[in-house]
Amino acid sequence: MGRETRRYRQRQGHQDYVWRVVAVAGAALVIVPMLAGFSWFLAPALQASAWLGAVGDPQLMVATQRTLLTALGGTALAMVLATAIIMMVYPGSAWTYLRLRLPVLLAFPHAAFAIGIALLVAPSGWVARLLAAMLGWDAPPQWVTVQDAQGLTLMIALAIKESWFLLWMLAVTLGEQDIVRQMTVARSLGYGRTQVWMHVLLPQILPRLAWPLMAVLAYGLSVVDMALVLGPTTPPTLAVLTWQWLTDPNPQHVAQGTIGAVLLAGLMLICVLLVRLAWKGLRRWAPYPAGHRKPGRRAPRFQRATVRLAFLLGIIPGIPLLLWSFSQTWFFPSVLPAQWTVSNWTSADLNPLFTTLWLALACVVLLLPLTLVWLEWGPSRFGALIYAPLLLPALPLAAAQYSVLLRLNLDGTSVGVIWSHLAWVFPYMLITLSGPYRAFDPRIVTTARALGHSRWQACINVKWPMLLRPILAATAIGFSVSVAQYLPTLFAGAGRFATVTTEAVALSAGGDRRMLAVQSSLQMLLPLLMFLLAVLVSRRYARGRKGMQ
């Protein structure tokens, strides 16, 4: 009996080792070549002429200032919005209502969101048309709301869009902390709701949001698609200026683009260090609560109104997209189109839609098994490398990917474009699934193994079927992230692959608003349909299974 037990354990140990190797090899294939590409991409940064050309460009200083304003301001405002909402509605039915709808808000791609904002607040946009109907205007107002010189519209759009990501991460954090118990104890001592959050809960929660905040800051520093639609133009933000240099046929400008990417990474590092020092100083010098009680009352109606307003801010940019996509004639100051038509949809080029669809499906088909294997067998100490694409500016990473593909002669190929998407889709799928995976009761797997199942069989037959809902949610999130990719598609595709995202951003530069609205609506509807499919499949699977309802 002892010999059989040893053989069984050896066999199980061998299987675990094989799956651990598979997890590490799969993650390395996604991440390591991109990191290695930095050595090729950064080679021009060693040239003094490149530095002189970049530093001597009169646009650089202003572009850097605008980037810092939009990135830091957008990150800070997103954090304020997320914490304000969570302080007002958690815990309670209003928070449950919002948490269940967060995936819908997260599925709204950044480029489509920016284009919707532009069609909403432009001088001839929907807001101006509503004001014209009330005030009797017959011409668009002379205000500058899109591509303003300071980038304020871009900053506000980034704040609104990224606040949903922070709320999503707060939902994960609140699920891990015993927040309700601490709130009940503090409230029983006479402290008001605001006091409890400010002095007890936020000091515990904010340090756990350090990595998500870094991801938001990294995106704000290197965002190109939203900046092309909403950001300043002369000069643009540093990310757009760097992108223009990198895509210029002049080798000197390409070298300057490398310097711009280095500056973006340097700005990221400096901002993180300064914020960390500021947090330490705040924690050291912040006074302890004086003990004064300020009881507060809950306002359920106000909570529900807050949630509805927050949800409305997330979906209202989609309304002008849909209106323009079905309009035939729509002149200012009409609030609604004078004539409606479906010809915009029937005459639209659907090749970008099909390209986007097979790219996103290929990504989730490849990454879902890898995500499950990594969460089950992958070594946690290498997790930082997987999350690097979220924590570093996207522009230098996409350029490093392109350097690798150039060396392997894979630029402009389907394989190259799919691989370029994997680096961004993989960490989002891990984030989505890691919380439910950690919360899964290990005794269930132990029981399955005691009944004779191997670890692999226990996962296939017991664990993963019970986690079907979060697995489907991770699949939908991964699909949405792939749909929203702009820079990786441009670089790796070498201009040969047009997706709904690249097509929408290209049309935003001055194309037909109706075609722009169609492509942006497709970009918005694809993730929503994927989430709807995930919900329908999970509900159908839960029928007859009481524990999953």
Side-chain angles (χ1 to χ4, degrees), residues 111-384:
F113 186 81
I115 293 170
I117 291 288
L119 295 178
L120 197 64
V121 303
S124 60
W126 205 36
V127 172
R129 293 169 186 268
L130 292 173
L131 292 175
M134 294 185 292
L135 302 177
W137 296 346
D138 57 0
Q142 298 301 312
W143 59 33
V144 181
T145 52
V146 178
Q147 297 181 337
D148 59 292
Q150 301 302 321
L152 297 179
T153 305
L154 174 61
M155 181 184 71
I156 294 172
L158 280 171
I160 295 174
K161 189 68 180 73
E162 296 304 319
S163 64
W164 310 129
F165 173 70
L166 293 178
L167 275 172
W168 182 39
M169 298 310 300
L170 277 169
V172 175
T173 302
L174 294 174
E176 296 175 357
Q177 302 260 357
D178 192 5
I179 299 296
V180 177
R181 182 181 60 82
Q182 296 183 51
M183 182 177 290
T184 302
V185 172
R187 294 294 297 274
S188 68
L189 295 175
Y191 290 98
R193 183 182 184 86
T194 303
Q195 285 184 304
V196 174
W197 275 103
M198 295 299 296
H199 299 306
V200 179
L201 302 181
L202 285 182
Q204 301 177 63
I205 293 173
L206 289 181
R208 301 178 66 88
L209 289 180
W211 293 110
L213 283 172
M214 283 180 60
V216 172
L217 178 60
Y219 181 81
L221 286 172
S222 62
V223 63
V224 172
D225 50 359
M226 292 185 72
L228 286 173
V229 177
L230 298 175
T233 56
T234 51
T237 61
L238 181 57
V240 175
L241 182 61
T242 301
W243 171 73
Q244 292 173 350
W245 283 340
L246 287 173
T247 55
D248 195 287
N250 189 341
Q252 178 63 28
H253 287 168
V254 174
Q256 291 178 201
T258 304
I259 303 302
V262 172
L263 292 177
L264 284 173
L267 288 177
M268 177 69 188
L269 179 61
I270 293 172
C271 291
V272 169
L273 291 177
L274 290 177
V275 170
R276 185 176 179 83
L277 290 175
W279 174 254
K280 285 187 175 181
L282 180 64
R283 295 292 296 160
R284 177 176 296 181
W285 299 108
Y288 286 98
H292 300 297
R293 272 69 165 174
K294 296 179 181 179
R297 295 181 179 179
R298 298 186 62 179
R301 293 183 180 179
F302 183 68
Q303 286 183 336
R304 288 193 290 269
T306 300
V307 169
R308 292 192 183 101
L309 178 61
F311 188 69
L312 183 64
L313 285 175
I315 64 172
I316 198 171
I319 298 177
L321 293 178
L322 294 175
L323 290 177
W324 272 104
S325 68
F326 287 103
S327 68
Q328 184 172 354
T329 56
W330 192 6
F331 299 107
F332 192 90
S334 301
V335 176
L336 294 174
Q339 292 181 319
W340 301 85
T341 182
V342 295
S343 61
N344 300 329
W345 288 86
T346 57
S347 62
D349 182 11
L350 296 182
N351 288 324
L353 171 65
F354 298 137
T355 302
T356 305
L357 189 60
W358 68 255
L359 272 175
L361 290 176
C363 287
V364 297
V365 167
L366 290 172
L367 285 179
L368 183 58
L370 179 59
T371 302
L372 294 172
V373 171
W374 179 269
L375 289 172
E376 187 66 31
W377 287 280
S380 58
R381 61 180 177 273
F382 296 125

Side-chain angles (χ1 to χ4, degrees), residues 20-100:
R20 190 176 297 111
V21 170
V22 170
V24 173
L29 187 62
V30 173
I31 301 296
V32 172
M34 178 180 61
L35 300 179
F38 277 107
S39 61
W40 300 318
F41 168 66
L42 296 177
L46 302 178
Q47 303 172 7
S49 59
W51 282 94
L52 292 175
V55 174
D57 193 296
Q59 301 180 93
L60 182 66
M61 187 58 66
V62 180
T64 304
Q65 293 173 357
R66 291 174 175 178
T67 296
L68 288 174
L69 175 63
T70 55
L72 291 174
T75 303
L77 188 55
M79 188 64 207
V80 170
L81 287 174
T83 52
I85 291 173
I86 210 76
M87 288 172 62
M88 280 189 267
V89 304
Y90 184 87
S93 59
W95 166 245
T96 303
Y97 175 88
L98 181 60
R99 180 175 56 83
L100 293 176

